[in-house]
Amino acid sequence: MPMPLTGLAQTLSNSVASIQAAIVDTQNQLASGTKTLDPAQNGVVTRLSAQSTAWGVVSNNIATAQNVITVAQGALSSIASIVTQMKSLSTQSSSAGLTTSDKVSLNTTFANLALQVASLGTNASVNGNNLLANATGITVSTGISGNSSTASSTTGVAGVNIPSLATTLAALSITSGNISSGTTGITSIAPTLTTAGTTLAAEVDTVTFTAMAAGESITVGGLTFTANGALTNTQAASAFASLSAGATSGTLTSLGSYSGTFVSTFTSGANTAGAVSFTATAAAVAAAATLVSSGAYASKADYATQILTTALTTISTGQSTLSASATGLNAQSSNAQALKTGLSNTVAQIQNIDATAMQAKLQQLNNQQSIDYYLVSQMNTEAAAILSIFR
């Protein structure tokens, strides 16, 4: 049975409206370059876009930190060169062929170089961040907080305490003379011979120590201890406490260095308020052995050379640390960029249109619209013919 005209009219009307809506939607997608997404797709795009943006910020943070490291590395390289020059001057000043006037002249240059170290450390700043201001360094955001794929959201970059180093270097001198005078590190040696009834017992020599300056050496019974910093009298005594016969070092290796060998005929006791008792063995008593002790100071130039050698080690360690941090941050930057790109590509796949496919679809819809319009015109002609019968 033929479809009534009213039913056909409704069908064609719905088709025309649907095609027109599809054409408008397709044209809008072509104009914006993005698809029309459902609520679930919109949520995914929003979440992934936010993560992509966050990784972009991380990448920028790392780039800024790399700039700070680069500036610090340049300054530290210059400081290393200056300290090397200072060490050469201190070594030259140790020469016996130089006059006092020569050493004063060298010391002037030496002091000026020390001032440059402080200046370089202060000026190695980028936007208030200075890796040469202290050993604490800086903290860099290298991950997205709360992201389970990131082990840590921050990375520390250790610094170098150039202000402290500069203060130490500024206090050095390479003029004639020793770094200190007066006491020798040992105030007294009190040998005593104990007896038990009529039997001769071991000899006990008590050595009382005083404070030591960096570079000062003390020798007791053939074992020499050289301090690498200022020590109290108690610390100096600890360097020789509890020694066994023939010992080549004591317990104070972190505060100085040892050389020589402790006499094989004595042992030492505990440190008691800066004094240590050395007890001879029976063989030593029989041979009437004696404990020889002495203290000595380094010259100013020799002491400066020692401190500058330590400073160069500190600088070298700092350079290695900064280089390692830069390498690590490069890897994290590559990771952040890869994550940002991957997330951006995923978002693009979800929301970006295929322009060629959309143009083909639009052409198809336009063709369908033309057909619908033709059918509507034919239906109107048929309806007019039917109505003419009743006129």
Side-chain angles (χ1 to χ4, degrees), residues 199-273:
T199 303
L200 188 65
E203 176 186 347
V204 178
D205 292 352
T206 301
V207 178
T208 301
F209 295 83
T210 62
M212 298 178 67
E216 181 184 4
S217 296
I218 295 178
T219 301
V220 178
L223 181 64
T224 300
F225 173 77
T226 302
N228 61 14
L231 303 183
T232 65
N233 66 318
T234 301
Q235 288 175 316
S238 295
F240 293 93
S242 303
L243 294 176
S244 59
T248 56
S249 67
T251 60
L252 222 63
T253 54
S254 62
L255 297 179
S257 59
Y258 289 88
S259 61
T261 303
F262 187 57
V263 62
S264 61
T265 53
F266 278 84
T267 59
S268 65
N271 172 14
T272 304

